[in-house]
Amino acid sequence: MIATNFGPFASRITGTGSAFPDQRLTNLELTKKIDTTDEWIRERTGIQERRIAQAGSEADRNSSLGARAALAALEMAAKTASDIDLILYATCTPDTLIPSTACWLQKKIGATKAWALDVNAACSGFVFGLATADSFLRSGQFKTALVVGGDILTSMTNWEDRGSCILFGDGAGAAIVERTEATNPRRILSVHMGADGRHWELFHVQAGGSNMEVTAEVRAKKLDKMEMKGREMFKVAVRTLGDYAVQALESNGLALGDLDWLVPHQANLRIIEAVAKRLELPMEKVLINIDRYGNTSSATIPTALDEGVRKGLVKPGETVLLDAFGAGVTYGSILMRW
Ligand SMILES: CC(C)(COP(=O)(O)OP(=O)(O)OC[C@H]1O[C@@H](n2cnc3c(N)ncnc32)[C@H](O)[C@@H]1OP(=O)(O)O)[C@@H](O)C(=O)NCCC(=O)NCCS
């Protein structure tokens, strides 16, 4: 599906923020739990360490990390919580199933005017949330949206599965998205999103939803934890990230290599390198944080973007491509002029 500007309005990100739990888990520490090595993890994934939320810690709750990220984004945008019309919280690890994590966050930051809901597209969640916010803002209905991508993937990690547990970490990233004139060059230029539920088996959690209650037996079999077909997921990721990036460039009349910044989902550095190669982009033009945080699901893209913005790498007027894929499978890209 393609959405481009067709009315008087567009939208743009005016503030970003990030938050991570304090506790680090290094590769070396993982070698004490499972049969792996620091060298294998670095070479095969690019990950050196990740952050782990402490179970039961109020500060490390998904919505608490999201609230910290949101407040930082509000400050950058020079807005207050009372300016927010809409909160979209992208997550597949909500604080609670009821109420939504968006409502917990709304309470924490005092955004009393906003309506609030969760978006679940797994690791593509932030990009799906941003695409949804863009649509509402372009319609003219609202002025200011808060989009958060936050996940505590370690709450669903099978620490006995060395093929997956090395990958995941916890965190949250946020963006303030504001309505602007469609003539503003600094805006979201296009949105390309997709999903293919036929590939659900590549990455899923069997229990915990209405399909299967989490009983002691289910827990013993780890059916409430993530199951992933790593090699197959790798191939889908390289293909869809590449295809959706190329579509975004082509539909905007841009050539390969024209990007100033690629902000890809951070699942594996080798996936990112393969996509950059296809786009003919040097790795210096790719915002990376997987080395320090691992795969934080819906938080990877907003936190990597936030880091690039705060370091002064991403400058006004530059062309930035957000490129996501995740369980579902889900995928999509958003091209913007910063
Ligand atoms: C998971 C992943 C890192 C595995 O890397 P890989 O290079 O594909 O490795 P393979 O699964 O082919 O396994 C190669 C060997 O390493 C072993 N291995 C797997 N995990 C290991 C670990 N942590 N430490 C040491 N060896 C490991 C395997 O057992 C296998 O050994 P074998 O050849 O004797 O059977 C990689 O497939 C990946 O990142 N996939 C995509 C993940 C993803 O995108 N997830 C979803 C994001 S939304």
Side-chain angles (χ1 to χ4, degrees):
M1 190 195 88
I2 303 172
T4 44
N5 297 315
F6 45 77
F9 299 119
S11 79
R12 60 179 286 250
I13 294 179
T14 54
T16 56
S18 305
F20 295 96
D22 289 336
Q23 181 155 332
R24 292 179 154 80
L25 178 65
T26 63
N27 291 346
L28 213 55
E29 285 164 319
L30 267 174
T31 63
K32 293 172 194 152
K33 295 183 180 202
I34 48 165
D35 179 16
T36 190
T37 60
D38 175 41
E39 193 188 14
W40 192 96
I41 302 173
R42 280 176 196 252
E43 275 178 12
R44 305 309 294 165
T45 72
I47 299 167
Q48 297 174 21
E49 60 177 38
R50 65 290 288 144
R51 300 296 181 90
I52 308 287
Q54 295 305 292
S57 155
E58 173 58 33
D60 283 359
R61 272 176 69 166
N62 191 345
S63 62
S64 302
L65 297 175
R68 265 172 56 201
L71 292 174
L74 279 169
E75 193 183 1
M76 189 189 287
K79 293 274 166 192
T80 63
S82 56
D83 293 317
I84 302 170
D85 300 307
L86 164 64
I87 298 171
L88 293 167
Y89 205 115
T91 188
C92 57
T93 50
D95 282 17
T96 50
L97 289 176
I98 301 174
S100 67
T101 311
C103 281
W104 285 114
L105 170 122
Q106 185 218 28
K107 172 177 172 282
K108 285 178 183 172
I109 65 170
T112 46
K113 188 175 81 177
W115 56 295
L117 69 149
D118 286 2
V119 176
N120 181 356
C123 298
S124 306
F126 177 78
V127 166
F128 277 40
L130 183 57
T132 310
D134 172 62
S135 203
F136 275 114
L137 296 167
R138 276 191 293 107
S139 78
Q141 225 175 338
F142 302 108
K143 275 191 176 164
T144 308
L146 165 65
V147 182
V148 180
D151 269 305
I152 309 292
L153 277 190
T154 61
S155 67
M156 304 193 301
T157 299
N158 178 355
W159 292 106
E160 288 166 17
D161 176 15
R162 70 173 183 166
S164 69
C165 75
I166 50 157
L167 297 171
F168 306 118
D170 304 326
I176 295 296
V177 196
E178 293 186 60
R179 190 171 80 197
T180 185
E181 304 303 314
T183 50
N184 186 349
R186 298 180 66 190
R187 64 175 197 277
I188 288 180
L189 299 171
S190 69
V191 168
H192 292 76
M193 317 301 294
D196 189 346
R198 289 172 300 180
H199 297 305
W200 65 272
E201 231 178 335
L202 295 188
F203 193 7
H204 68 288
V205 180
Q206 295 197 46
S210 54
N211 262 359
M212 197 188 287
E213 199 183 329
V214 182
T215 60
E217 190 191 349
V218 160
R219 203 164 272 142
K221 290 181 178 165
K222 308 271 184 211
L223 300 180
D224 57 336
K225 304 296 180 194
M226 291 180 282
E227 292 174 49
M228 186 181 73
K229 295 192 193 320
R231 243 174 277 183
E232 288 89 332
M233 197 73 194
F234 194 101
K235 285 183 208 147
V236 175
V238 170
R239 179 169 47 80
T240 55
L241 284 172
D243 287 353
Y244 275 70
V246 169
Q247 274 190 52
L249 293 172
E250 281 179 353
S251 71
N252 285 280
L254 296 175
L256 291 181
D258 267 354
L259 281 178
D260 292 305
W261 296 106
L262 173 67
V263 193
H265 173 48
Q266 322 261 322
N268 186 316
L269 188 60
R270 288 185 296 133
I271 294 175
I272 298 172
E273 285 168 347
V275 175
K277 194 170 169 201
R278 180 163 166 203
L279 298 181
E280 298 176 8
L281 273 185
M283 286 302 281
E284 297 75 54
K285 289 191 170 193
V286 186
L287 297 180
I288 306 275
N289 68 8
I290 189 172
D291 50 332
R292 286 153 290 142
Y293 302 114
N295 178 352
T296 53
S297 186
S298 60
T300 65
I301 289 178
T303 56
L305 176 64
D306 180 49
E307 192 172 83
V309 170
R310 284 178 192 273
K311 280 185 176 167
L313 298 171
V314 180
K315 297 187 188 64
E318 289 191 324
T319 307
V320 179
L321 182 72
L322 313 186
D323 201 9
F325 79 96
V329 292
T330 53
Y331 30 81
S333 65
I334 296 184
L335 191 76
M336 61 184 78
R337 195 138 286 139
W338 192 253

